Amino acid sequence: MSGKKRILQLLLLGGVFYSAAVTAQNTQWIDFSYLKQSEAWLTAYNAAGLRYLPIEKTSIAELYANKQNGKFTNYYQSDNSYELGARVESYYRLMPRVTFYGMMNYNYFKGKNMGGSAFIDPYSNPFDIVEYSDENRGEKEKETYHLVGAVSGDLLNNLTLAGKIDYKAANYAKFKDLRHKNKLLDMYLTMGLSYRINKHIEVGANYFYRRSTEGIEFGRYGTTDKIYTSLIDYGAFYGVTETGEGGYVEEKDEKPLFNEYNGGSLQVNIQITPQISFFNEFTYKLRDGYYGKRSPSTIVYSEHDGSALEYTGVLSLKQKKHHHQLRVHLNREELENNQNTFRSETGSVGNSVIVYYDPIHVGKKETFSGKLQYTANLSVTDFNPRWTLVGSMQYFNREKTASVYPYYRKQTIHNTEYHVAATRNVMKAKDMYSFSLGISYLSGGGTEKEDGLYATPSDSQTAPRNSDDYLHREYEYLTNSRFSGRVGFKYSRQFNTEVKGYAKVSYSLTKASDIRYLAGDKQNVVNLVIGCTF
């Protein structure tokens, strides 16, 4: 089925599913993005915050597309790509005590000249599988289906129960040898409650569970006598190589990368005055997983475990016509990867059995990110601000250690980004014109690589393999100074008291400085959206 047909089917399904959201309430000028961040509870893991939906119903349905061109790209990205998609999203208060949220999104991506990582998102994984040669770049396609549903219900005047499920499926493929096909299934759910102690303090808690599997299969359909080498990257493009005969990249044998998360969140909201509130959310997650097939006769090549700690704080000041918000988000993650050692033995009935020995520590990653953002929504009428002003600062730090005993490589990368933006909405009878402008600056640094020894290697030990080409390109992409600018325009038209249609276009340009290893210093992105609010 073509991508266009899938988009049309999704829109039709979304229209039927959300038609109940149409209401006689005069909500056609609602700014959906403002509505979602107008109440801090609405962005929490705990879906109990849906009870604070400030209106009865609203929905959006839209088609979107973007085109990207430019040589300033990371090692696994495309310098010439496009995306098409469709999204339907809705908030709906069924009755005073019950509120629903739903979202459906379909996304199709196609990129040229792609190589590097074989995974959909290499930064979320404990290791990477990288094409050792950059000569085999080719086209890649990805289709993503994303569904979200949540509900909250008040059991008592001061007690709310809620649940949320977020499901994502994706197919990803490269169409040039060494080819790969990926199948992703990623789901998380939360179950939570909130309790209002008094008119000033409310507390909440939720359980978090996530399970994801990305199956990957390698294959060749061209010249079979050519050898394709892959680097099993334990960190900073340092590890061992394979050629597809057994191991991580054994051809025509799908292997899953499995992850499981368990954790929870605590929320505390303090209503300091009728106009000022301070929302806090603390989240902790434990993670473990493996790569391979877990059974007595198949191999699990590696196992990993880690943890993550998050904090979100939102200080809000709501005046009659103005809404000011200061938001801080902090996230720290640790992840360790261990290589299994094993051999195949014959079982008591003649079958093959995998016997494991002590695992070998091969990788460690520590990541910290923090963001501070101030948003001013001014002259708000019917949940539509006339002005939106945003200023933010974001910091990122990552430390990696890759080990192939007795050798090791360490790397540290950090960057800081500053961003300011403004949006102006101009009302003219049944029409609205929106103009937006934003600019960002990012710079960073760190230690690209520090190679060393835990002990003196013996004559029989060989040094690890590495790809300094990818190392230089990634480091340059993440740390070199660059400016980004974005301009946008949106036209909205009121069709009746319930439906508003809109079209918007935006263009962004990124220009980096002092490029040595990347193919270029510019990246252009054009976005188009057509949709309606109802």
Side-chain angles (χ1 to χ4, degrees):
M1 183 183 295
S2 70
K4 292 182 180 179
K5 289 183 178 179
R6 288 193 177 96
I7 292 174
L8 292 175
Q9 285 187 347
L10 185 62
L11 279 181
L12 179 60
L13 178 61
V16 172
F17 182 79
Y18 289 115
S19 60
V22 177
T23 173
Q25 183 182 0
N26 187 19
T27 60
Q28 72 276 9
W29 289 121
I30 287 177
D31 185 323
F32 205 86
S33 60
Y34 167 72
L35 177 70
K36 292 182 70 171
Q37 55 90 35
S38 63
E39 296 288 342
W41 270 107
L42 293 177
T43 59
Y45 282 112
N46 193 344
L50 286 174
R51 75 180 306 273
Y52 290 105
L53 181 69
I55 62 173
E56 293 299 313
K57 311 169 186 178
T58 188
S59 304
I60 63 168
E62 60 184 28
L63 292 169
Y64 60 87
N66 76 62
K67 183 71 178 73
Q68 302 184 38
N69 280 90
K71 302 292 186 178
F72 184 67
T73 57
N74 209 341
Y75 75 99
Y76 64 95
Q77 295 176 332
S78 170
D79 59 7
N80 183 1
S81 67
Y82 69 88
E83 288 183 88
L84 301 172
R87 181 172 69 102
V88 184
E89 191 171 3
S90 178
Y91 289 97
Y92 177 47
R93 190 180 299 279
L94 180 64
M95 56 185 69
R97 290 178 173 267
V98 180
T99 307
F100 288 92
Y101 168 77
M103 189 276 290
M104 297 186 293
N105 184 55
Y106 168 78
N107 179 274
Y108 172 79
F109 166 88
K110 185 172 184 177
K112 297 182 179 181
N113 306 317
M114 297 185 68
S117 177
F119 287 109
I120 294 175
D121 178 11
Y123 287 121
S124 65
N125 298 329
F127 65 93
D128 198 2
I129 299 176
V130 179
E131 294 187 57
Y132 200 60
S133 172
D134 201 36
E135 298 177 355
N136 305 313
R137 300 170 72 88
E139 287 190 355
K140 289 190 179 185
E141 290 186 1
K142 181 179 66 175
E143 287 187 293
T144 306
Y145 305 84
H146 192 187
L147 304 173
V148 183
V151 59
S152 74
D154 293 344
L155 294 186
L156 303 171
N157 289 333
N158 57 352
L159 178 65
T160 301
L161 295 182
K164 179 179 181 179
I165 184 167
D166 187 309
Y167 176 82
K168 184 183 294 184
N171 298 308
Y172 188 51
K174 183 182 178 217
F175 296 98
K176 184 178 179 181
D177 295 341
L178 183 63
R179 304 169 187 242
H180 60 79
K181 296 187 296 184
N182 305 46
K183 297 178 182 178
L184 173 69
L185 293 176
D186 189 359
M187 181 195 72
Y188 83 79
L189 61 88
T190 63
M191 297 294 295
L193 56 84
S194 66
Y195 182 76
R196 291 164 290 286
I197 298 174
N198 54 46
K199 65 180 182 179
H200 296 291
I201 300 176
E202 180 176 6
V203 296
N206 67 268
Y207 167 69
F208 176 95
Y209 177 77
R210 179 182 174 188
R211 183 185 182 95
S212 70
T213 302
E214 183 174 353
I216 183 169
E217 177 184 340
F218 293 89
R220 287 181 293 172
Y221 298 93
T223 305
T224 58
D225 59 353
K226 183 176 180 179
I227 297 176
Y228 296 91
T229 303
S230 299
L231 174 67
I232 312 305
D233 170 23
Y234 299 138
F237 305 98
Y238 194 78
V240 297
T241 56
E242 292 186 358
T243 58
E245 298 179 1
Y248 282 68
V249 295
E250 182 177 1
E251 294 179 20
K252 301 189 183 302
D253 181 27
E254 181 180 303
K255 293 181 175 63
L257 177 61
F258 174 79
N259 287 282
E260 188 173 56
Y261 302 75
N262 284 277
S265 302
L266 295 174
Q267 298 88 22
V268 179
N269 188 58
I270 304 172
Q271 194 68 42
I272 301 173
T273 70
Q275 292 79 32
I276 302 175
S277 64
F278 185 30
F279 176 83
N280 300 268
E281 182 174 53
F282 306 87
T283 302
Y284 182 70
K285 304 172 188 174
L286 288 173
R287 172 183 179 180
D288 60 74
Y290 56 87
Y291 179 74
K293 298 178 180 178
R294 179 155 283 176
S295 76
S297 60
T298 55
I299 300 171
V300 174
Y301 292 91
S302 67
E303 300 185 62
H304 55 272
D305 61 83
S307 63
L309 183 64
E310 296 179 49
Y311 168 73
T312 299
V314 183
L315 181 64
S316 298
L317 169 62
K318 288 186 176 181
Q319 299 171 311
K320 186 176 181 180
K321 288 287 186 178
H322 309 309
H323 182 191
H324 302 267
Q325 191 176 86
L326 184 65
R327 176 182 292 265
V328 60
H329 180 76
L330 306 174
N331 182 55
R332 180 174 179 82
E333 296 186 37
E334 296 183 355
L335 186 61
E336 296 198 15
N337 188 33
N338 296 291
Q339 179 85 22
N340 282 332
T341 58
F342 55 86
R343 72 176 183 182
S344 179
E345 297 183 353
T346 301
S348 58
V349 294
N351 59 319
S352 178
V353 177
I354 305 300
V355 178
Y356 295 93
Y357 301 94
D358 291 339
I360 301 172
H361 180 74
V362 293
K364 182 178 181 179
K365 179 170 63 175
E366 297 181 3
T367 305
F368 172 80
S369 62
K371 184 175 183 179
L372 178 66
Q373 177 173 303
Y374 167 72
T375 304
N377 290 286
L378 308 177
S379 301
V380 180
T381 303
D382 295 331
F383 299 97
N384 190 316
R386 298 300 177 263
W387 280 97
T388 298
L389 307 176
V390 177
S392 67
M393 179 180 71
Q394 186 166 342
Y395 176 77
F396 170 82
N397 184 81
R398 187 187 72 189
E399 298 178 7
K400 282 186 174 183
T401 301
S403 303
V404 183
Y405 192 84
Y407 305 88
Y408 72 80
R409 169 175 286 183
K410 295 184 178 181
Q411 182 192 65
T412 301
I413 288 177
H414 62 83
N415 60 49
T416 304
E417 182 176 16
Y418 305 91
H419 173 73
V420 292
T423 300
R424 173 70 167 112
N425 295 323
V426 179
M427 309 287 294
K428 296 291 184 180
K430 293 186 177 182
D431 301 318
M432 184 175 75
Y433 306 89
S434 303
F435 306 88
S436 61
L437 177 67
I439 188 169
S440 302
Y441 173 74
L442 182 146
S443 65
T447 303
E448 186 179 49
K449 66 174 180 177
E450 178 190 335
D451 295 347
L453 297 170
Y454 294 112
T456 303
S458 66
D459 294 337
S460 61
Q461 291 175 313
T462 59
R465 305 299 294 272
N466 63 83
S467 174
D468 282 348
D469 179 36
Y470 288 134
L471 178 78
H472 296 325
R473 286 159 57 184
E474 185 203 40
Y475 185 82
E476 189 168 74
Y477 182 82
L478 294 178
T479 62
N480 268 44
S481 301
R482 84 287 307 261
F483 281 97
S484 298
R486 183 179 184 275
V487 294
F489 172 74
K490 177 181 178 181
Y491 169 70
S492 305
R493 173 72 175 179
Q494 177 184 338
F495 295 131
N496 54 47
T497 59
E498 300 167 354
V499 180
K500 176 189 72 176
Y502 58 86
K504 56 183 177 180
V505 59
S506 65
Y507 168 75
S508 64
L509 170 65
T510 299
K511 174 67 169 65
S513 59
D514 302 324
I515 295 300
R516 295 177 57 196
Y517 301 104
L518 295 173
D521 60 0
K522 296 184 181 68
Q523 177 74 358
N524 302 272
V525 181
V526 177
N527 287 282
L528 301 172
V529 179
I530 299 174
C532 65
T533 303
F534 55 96

